[in-house]
Amino acid sequence: MKVSILILVFLSLIQAVFAESPQVPAKMRFADLQLTITKAARHKIQKEVDKLRRNDAYFKRYVNKADLYFPVIEDAFRQEECPDAIKYLMIQESGFNAVAVSSSNAVGYWQFKKATGIEVGLKIAHGVDERKSIKASSHGAGIYMFKNNKRINNWIYTVMAYNTGVGGAQSYIKNKYR
């Protein structure tokens, strides 16, 4: 779970970087929270940043996809009152792949299982699967995040709960961080 948060922070670092690998900062803002990144975490993230930047064509493909998809996600998140920075989680979830399927049968851009997709209002029946729609699934992700953050009251733990469920994230939550 902690690795998911680290990857999300790492992905948020690549937003405007084209020429060279950025250096991972000791502190950064994420979803209106001030994060302190430990030396060990910075080292792990830096290795991932450097690996991503190693192949310029690969990196540019991701940047081009981000340019295409992020405005749609940003609009959906704005409407669902979800912080813009969480859009980077979709890269980790599916790598911009609409037809991605996980080992647990989670599908689409935001890797929703069928029941969760239906819970957030996605149509999944009769040949229609909105988990594969960037617009519909981003609204669903925003709804899911907003709902979980109402319970957790901390966007970092809400991101963790995206993968583990609220119950899974609660074992990491300390009241002083709410």
Side-chain angles (χ1 to χ4, degrees), residues 90-147:
M90 195 263 295
I91 299 171
Q92 179 185 345
E93 290 296 317
S94 69
F96 297 113
N97 183 354
V99 296
V101 179
S102 75
S103 59
S104 64
N105 286 321
V107 172
Y109 290 107
W110 287 97
Q111 291 292 284
F112 282 113
K113 291 184 181 179
K114 185 175 182 178
T116 307
I118 292 169
E119 176 188 322
V120 297
L122 300 178
K123 293 180 182 100
I124 306 170
H126 309 295
V128 174
D129 192 342
E130 288 186 328
R131 295 175 294 180
K132 298 175 184 178
S133 162
I134 187 66
K135 184 176 180 178
S137 66
S138 294
H139 277 283
I143 290 166
Y144 188 78
M145 295 280 191
F146 184 81
K147 179 185 81 165

Side-chain angles (χ1 to χ4, degrees), residues 10-25 42-56 58-60 63:
F10 143 69
L11 290 170
S12 70
L13 291 172
I14 68 169
Q15 181 175 16
V17 179
F18 292 93
E20 59 187 61
S21 289
Q23 295 302 300
V24 177
R42 283 195 316 272
H43 180 71
K44 273 183 157 178
I45 296 167
Q46 191 66 54
K47 284 173 64 175
E48 293 298 318
V49 169
D50 294 343
K51 186 167 50 172
L52 180 67
R53 292 295 296 139
R54 206 170 290 139
N55 183 325
D56 198 47
Y58 176 80
F59 180 71
K60 284 183 179 177
V63 170

Side-chain angles (χ1 to χ4, degrees), residues 3-14 24-25 28 30 35 37 45 49 88 92 156:
V3 172
S4 296
I5 300 299
L6 293 177
I7 291 171
L8 183 61
V9 169
F10 143 69
L11 290 170
S12 70
L13 291 172
I14 68 169
V24 177
M28 69 177 287
F30 179 84
L35 300 180
I37 305 169
I45 296 167
V49 169
Y88 298 101
Q92 179 185 345
I156 295 296

Side-chain angles (χ1 to χ4, degrees), residues 61-77:
R61 263 196 315 258
Y62 266 86
V63 170
N64 289 337
K65 287 180 180 184
D67 287 345
L68 180 65
Y69 293 127
F70 281 174
V72 176
I73 298 167
E74 290 162 2
D75 184 56
F77 278 15

Side-chain angles (χ1 to χ4, degrees), residues 31-42:
D32 293 329
L33 297 171
Q34 178 68 37
L35 300 180
T36 300
I37 305 169
T38 66
K39 185 176 181 178
R42 283 195 316 272

